[in-house]
C-alpha cells in the first residue's frame, strides 16, 4: 500500500515544497534587494535603479548580485553621515523608554486583570479592549491639546508618554499571568505574603515570557511609529527613522546611501525579531481577546 | 472571560472592598495615564464634535451633517471600507493556506515560518524604498511588464494604487495571521481526525467537517485583529505616496491628517466619533459572535 503510494506522495511533497518556496520568495526578494542595493557601486546603481528612484528616463533593471560589490555606501553612511546617526539615535530614544514604560505601567494592570478580583473588572477589561481598537486619529485633536497644556509638544515625551499607556501590552501580559499556577499563589498567601510581594516574587518571574512578548511587539511597533511623531514633533531634529528616512533617502547624494540607510534602519528590528521570535509568536497568539 | 483567577479573595463585602482597594493600587498607574491621554481626549473629541471649530459654541449635529455631506469624507470612508472588505477575506484565506502548508511540511517548514513572519518586523520606512523601486513609473514592475510585451502601468497614479496597497498589506500581515491560524489548528484534538479516518473520511472531508467548524472561534479572532491591523496600512500609503495619494487610496487617515492641518477641528471630531462608533460596533458584534460560538 505505502509502496504504490510513494510516487504520488513524492509528487505531493514536491508540490508542497514548491508552494512554500513560492510564498517565501516575495519576502526574500525584498530583503535581498535591499541588502544588495547597499553593496552596489554608484555607477551600477544609477544605471539599474535610477529610472525608478530618480526619475531618469528608461526602465529600471534588477541584478541578482552587484557586479562590483563595495562597502563604500555603508562606510559613508556610518562614518560620514551624522544626520543619519541623529535619526537613528532619535528612534532609540523614543522606542526604548516607550517599551520600558509599557512594561512598568502595563504589568501591574495586567496582573490585576488576570489575578485580582474586584468590582467592575469585566467592564474595565472590555474598555481596555475597545481602546486597543481606536485608531490614533480619533483622539488626535484633544490629545494634542493635552500635550500642549502639559508643555510636552515638540519633546520626545509627547510620543513616549501617550504610547506608554497603550492597552495592547496589557492583554499580552495578562494572558501569560493567567498561566501562573493558582496553587503557588494560595501557598504564598498562606505563608503570609501580601499582594505586592506575590506579584513581585511569583507573578513577574513566572510571567516573564509574557513580558518579553510585550517588549518584542512593543519594540517593533515603537520603531515603526509614524502618525505620532508626525503630529506631535514639529521639530524635524527630533524625528525618528520611521518618519525621517524617506526624506533622507530622497535627498541622499547617491542611491547607495539611500539603500544603506534603509538597511541599517531595519537591522535593530531584525535582531529583535530573530532573537525574540519565540516571544513574538507567543505575543501574537496571546494578543487574542480571550 | 478570564480563567483561573483565585477564588479565595473577596467573599464578604469588607473583604471585597479590600480587594477593590488592592486592585486599584495595581491599576492606578495605567488608569490614570489612560484617563489623561486617551479617555479624557476621547470625551473631548465627542464634545468638540458638537461645538464649532473654536470649541466655544454649541452647534448640535451640524458637524455631523457637514461630514456626511462632504465629498472627501465619503470618498475616504468608501475607500477605507472597500480596502477592509477586500483585504480581510484575502488575508484570511491566504494566511490559512500558509498555515496548512506549514503544518503539512513540519518539521522542515520552520525556516519558512520564520520567513513568512519576517515582514511584520521590517520597518515600513525601509521597505518603502523597495515599493518605490518596484512601482514607480520607470520601476521594476513596469520593466518586467515590458519584457512580457505588456503596456506599462502607472501604478501609483491610477486605480492600480489600490491593489498595490492591498498587496503590501497582504505581504506584511500574512505571517501574523498564519501564527494565529497555526495556534487554532494545533488546538484541534487529534483524536477527532483519527476517528474520522477510521470511518474512511478523506483529507478534504476531514478539513470540511472537522477543521472548519473547529476553527470558527479562531476565524473571529483573526478577523478582529486583521481589522485593527488594516488601519496601519496608512503607514505604507503615506510613506510611498504622501499626504495626497491617488484618489483610490485616499484613506480616512489621510483625511483626518489633512483636516488637522487645516484646523477643521469640528468636522474632524465628528468624523472621529463616527469612526469610533463603527469600529466599536464591529468589534462588539464580532466578539458577540465569538461568544455565541464558544
Amino acid at each position: 500500500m505505502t509502496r504504490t503510494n510513494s510516487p504520488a506522495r513524492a509528487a505531493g511533497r514536491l508540490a508542497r515544497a514548491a508552494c512554500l518556496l513560492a510564498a517565501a520568495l516575495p519576502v526574500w526578494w525584498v530583503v535581498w534587494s535591499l541588502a544588495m542595493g547597499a553593496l552596489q557601486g554608484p555607477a551600477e546603481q544609477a544605471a539599474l535603479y535610477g529610472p525608478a528612484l530618480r526619475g531618469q528616463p528608461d526602465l529600471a533593471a534588477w541584478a541578482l548580485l552587484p557586479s562590483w560589490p563595495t562597502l563604500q555606501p555603508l562606510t559613508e553612511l556610518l562614518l560620514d553621515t551624522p544626520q543619519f546617526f541623529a535619526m537613528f539615535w532619535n528612534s532609540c530614544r523614543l522606542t526604548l523608554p516607550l517599551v520600558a514604560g509599557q512594561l512598568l505601567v502595563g504589568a501591574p494592570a495586567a496582573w490585576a486583570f488576570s489575578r485580582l478580583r474586584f468590582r467592575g473588572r469585566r467592564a474595565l477589561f472590555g474598555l481596555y479592549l475597545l481602546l486597543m481598537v481606536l485608531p490614533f486619529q480619533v483622539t488626535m485633536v484633544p490629545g494634542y491639546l493635552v500635550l500642549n497644556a502639559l508643555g510636552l509638544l515638540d519633546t520626545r515625551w509627547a510620543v513616549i508618554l501617550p504610547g506608554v499607556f497603550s492597552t495592547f501590552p496589557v492583554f499580552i501580559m495578562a494572558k501569560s499571568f493567567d498561566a501562573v499556577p493558582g496553587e503557588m499563589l494560595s501557598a504564598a498567601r498562606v505563608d503570609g505574603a501580601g499582594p505586592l510581594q506575590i506579584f513581585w516574587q511569583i507573578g513577574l518571574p513566572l510571567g516573564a515570557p509574557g513580558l518579553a512578548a510585550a517588549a518584542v511587539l512593543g519594540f517593533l511597533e515603537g520603531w515603526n511609529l509614524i502618525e505620532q511623531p508626525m503630529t506631535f514633533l514639529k521639530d524635524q531634529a527630533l524625528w525618528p527613522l520611521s518618519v525621517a528616512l524617506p526624506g533622507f533617502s530622497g535627498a541622499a547624494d547617491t542611491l547607495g546611501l539611500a539603500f544603506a540607510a534603509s538597511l541599517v534602519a531595519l537591522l535593530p528590528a531584525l535582531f529583535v525579531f530573530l532573537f525574540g521570535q519565540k516571544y513574538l509568536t507567543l505575543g501574537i497568539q496571546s494578543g487574542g481577546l480571550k | 472571560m478570564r480563567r483561573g483567577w483565585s477564588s479565595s479573595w473577596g467573599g464578604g463585602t469588607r473583604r471585597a472592598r479590600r480587594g477593590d482597594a488592592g486592585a486599584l493600587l495595581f491599576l492606578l498607574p495605567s488608569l490614570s495615564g489612560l484617563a489623561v491621554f486617551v479617555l479624557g481626549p476621547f470625551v473631548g473629541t465627542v464634545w468638540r464634535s458638537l461645538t464649532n471649530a473654536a470649541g466655544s459654541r454649541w452647534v448640535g449635529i451640524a458637524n455631523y451633517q457637514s461630514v456626511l455631506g462632504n465629498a472627501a469624507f465619503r470618498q475616504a470612508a468608501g475607500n477605507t471600507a472597500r480596502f477592509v472588505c477586500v483585504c480581510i477575506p484575502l488575508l484570511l484565506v491566504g494566511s490559512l493556506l500558509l498555515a496548512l502548508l506549514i503544518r503539512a511540511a513540519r518539521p522542515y517548514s520552520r525556516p519558512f515560518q520564520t520567513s513568512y513572519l519576517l515582514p511584520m518586523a521590517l520597518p515600513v520606512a525601509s521597505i518603502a524604498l523597495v515599493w518605490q523601486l518596484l512601482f514607480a513609473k520607470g520601476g521594476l514592475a513596469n520593466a518586467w511588464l515590458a519584457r512580457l510585451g505588456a503596456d506599462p502601468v502607472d501604478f501609483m497614479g491610477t486605480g492600480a494604487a489600490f491593489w498595490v496597497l492591498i498587496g503590501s498589506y497582504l505581504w506584511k500581515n500574512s505571517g501574523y495571521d498564519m501564527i494565529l491560524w497555526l495556534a487554532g489548528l494545533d488546538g484541534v484534538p487529534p483524536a477527532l481526525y483519527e476517528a474520522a479516518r477510521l470511518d474512511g473520511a478523506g483529507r478534504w472531508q476531514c478539513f470540511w467537517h472537522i477543521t472548519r467548524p473547529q476553527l470558527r472561534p479562531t476565524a473571529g479572532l483573526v478577523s478582529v485583529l486583521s481589522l485593527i491591523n488594516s488601519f496601519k496600512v496608512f503607514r505604507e500609503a503615506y510613506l510611498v505616496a504622501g499626504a495626497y495619494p491617488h484618489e483610490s487610496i485616499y484613506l480616512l487617515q489621510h483625511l483626518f491628517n489633512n483636516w488637522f492641518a487645516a484646523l477643521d477641528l469640528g468636522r474632524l471630531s465628528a468624523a472621529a466619533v463616527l469612526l469610533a462608533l463603527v469600529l466599536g460596533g464591529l468589534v462588539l458584534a464580532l466578539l458577540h459572535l465569538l461568544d455565541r460560538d464558544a
Side-chain angles (χ1 to χ4, degrees):
Chain A
M1 184 87 184
T2 26
R3 266 205 158 169
T4 50
N5 259 348
S6 69
R9 273 214 182 156
R13 210 173 292 162
L14 213 63
R16 240 180 0 233
C19 291
L20 283 170
L21 278 171
L25 213 57
V27 179
W28 295 341
W29 186 88
V30 167
V31 178
W32 182 262
S33 301
L34 211 50
M36 289 305 120
L39 297 176
Q40 274 161 351
E44 185 185 11
Q45 198 140 44
L48 287 179
Y49 298 157
L53 299 175
R54 289 292 187 262
Q56 292 161 15
D58 205 16
L59 288 171
W62 187 76
L64 181 64
L65 288 169
S67 55
W68 197 254
T70 167
L71 287 174
Q72 189 260 330
L74 275 170
T75 45
E76 188 188 343
L77 181 79
L78 296 179
L79 301 178
D80 259 358
T81 319
Q83 73 266 39
F84 179 79
F85 264 106
M87 284 153 42
F88 193 91
W89 185 226
N90 282 342
S91 277
C92 296
R93 285 170 80 182
L94 285 184
T95 307
L96 298 178
L98 182 70
V99 174
Q102 283 179 345
L103 296 187
L104 206 65
V105 168
W111 180 254
F113 280 124
S114 171
R115 289 298 174 159
L116 304 182
R117 200 178 178 196
F118 55 93
R119 278 169 295 172
R121 190 177 59 96
R122 274 189 72 112
L124 203 57
F125 200 66
L127 178 70
Y128 270 58
L129 177 74
L130 283 178
L131 293 184
M132 186 173 92
V133 182
L134 278 192
F136 165 73
Q137 284 80 5
V138 169
T139 54
M140 176 164 71
V141 175
Y144 184 92
L145 296 175
V146 167
L147 290 167
N148 189 28
L150 295 173
L152 295 176
L153 274 184
D154 251 340
T155 71
R156 283 178 235 289
W157 296 106
V159 177
I160 297 170
L161 266 186
V164 159
F165 300 101
S166 160
T167 57
F168 192 52
V170 177
F171 282 90
I172 295 168
M173 290 186 273
K175 186 82 171 187
S176 88
F177 287 143
D178 282 351
V180 176
E183 304 86 64
M184 291 190 71
L185 306 185
S186 353
R189 222 166 286 133
V190 170
D191 289 345
L196 269 178
Q197 245 179 321
I198 292 177
F199 169 63
W200 190 254
Q201 294 183 346
I202 301 178
L204 281 186
L206 291 183
L211 300 189
V216 170
L217 277 164
F219 181 89
L220 295 180
E221 183 64 22
W223 201 256
N224 256 318
L225 283 183
I226 289 177
E227 289 103 320
Q228 290 85 340
M230 220 169 69
T231 314
F232 299 142
L233 302 177
K234 257 190 238 111
D235 181 3
Q236 300 201 357
L238 292 172
W239 277 9
L241 286 166
S242 46
V243 188
L245 193 59
F248 175 85
S249 300
D253 295 336
T254 63
L255 286 173
L257 206 55
F259 274 89
S262 291
L263 185 67
V264 174
L266 73 71
L267 288 181
L270 186 66
F271 284 129
V272 167
F273 171 78
L274 290 178
F275 289 108
Q277 202 196 343
K278 188 176 125 204
Y279 300 108
L280 178 67
T281 310
L282 184 81
I284 292 173
Q285 285 169 353
S286 59
L289 313 155
K290 310 211 104 192
Chain B
M1 221 164 170
R2 213 121 278 276
R3 274 164 292 135
W5 36 262
S6 120
S7 54
S8 59
W9 287 37
T13 349
R14 247 175 76 194
R15 284 174 72 188
R17 285 225 185 94
R18 227 172 57 198
D20 287 355
L24 192 63
L25 189 73
F26 281 91
L27 282 167
L28 200 61
S30 175
L31 274 180
S32 50
L34 276 181
V36 174
F37 291 110
V38 187
L39 289 175
F42 185 68
V43 174
T45 298
V46 176
W47 168 254
R48 268 181 180 276
S49 75
L50 299 166
T51 60
N52 66 354
S56 58
R57 192 167 46 82
W58 184 263
V59 295
I61 58 165
N63 284 324
Y64 289 89
Q65 283 168 331
S66 157
V67 163
L68 290 175
N70 181 277
F73 176 79
R74 287 188 187 185
Q75 166 118 47
N79 283 342
T80 306
R82 177 164 167 245
F83 183 82
V84 168
C85 292
V86 172
C87 78
I88 289 187
L90 284 178
L91 181 67
L92 290 186
V93 174
S95 56
L96 177 59
L97 286 177
L98 282 184
L100 290 170
L101 260 176
I102 289 282
R103 260 172 71 87
R106 270 181 188 164
Y108 308 105
S109 51
R110 189 82 213 165
F112 290 99
Q113 191 175 326
T114 303
S115 303
Y116 302 154
L117 194 53
L118 180 61
M120 76 161 286
L122 301 178
V124 182
S126 296
I127 299 307
L129 187 66
V130 180
W131 287 165
Q132 273 168 9
L133 178 62
L134 274 173
F135 298 113
K137 267 186 191 153
L140 289 172
N142 273 330
W144 293 329
L145 280 178
R147 200 175 297 171
L148 294 174
D151 288 332
V153 177
D154 183 3
F155 286 100
M156 298 319 292
T158 62
F162 180 78
W163 297 101
V164 171
L165 203 60
I166 293 273
S168 73
Y169 173 81
L170 294 178
W171 183 83
K172 192 168 183 73
N173 288 285
S174 295
Y176 187 100
D177 283 20
M178 170 197 70
I179 296 291
L180 293 166
W181 284 121
L182 279 174
L185 287 167
D186 289 341
V188 180
L192 288 180
Y193 293 115
E194 281 156 31
R197 233 168 270 139
L198 282 180
D199 290 342
R203 207 180 271 176
W204 173 247
Q205 280 174 311
C206 279
F207 178 80
W208 193 255
H209 294 293
I210 301 173
T211 315
R212 195 184 49 98
Q214 290 271 330
L215 281 182
R216 275 190 67 180
T218 312
L221 175 72
V222 181
S223 324
V224 174
L225 290 172
S226 302
L227 179 69
I228 298 174
N229 285 334
S230 70
F231 277 83
K232 293 185 186 157
V233 83
F234 168 70
R235 296 172 179 177
E236 273 92 351
Y238 181 78
L239 288 190
V240 176
Y244 292 96
H246 182 260
E247 56 176 24
S248 68
I249 55 169
Y250 189 75
L251 301 171
L252 277 174
Q253 287 101 319
H254 290 104
L255 181 74
F256 281 121
N257 284 336
N258 294 335
W259 275 352
F260 183 75
L263 290 178
D264 197 343
L265 302 185
R267 277 206 294 204
L268 171 55
S269 304
V273 171
L274 289 176
L275 177 61
L277 284 178
V278 170
L279 273 182
L282 265 179
V283 170
L284 286 179
L286 279 169
L287 287 182
H288 184 70
L289 279 176
L290 271 181
D291 266 356
R292 211 184 52 191
D293 280 351

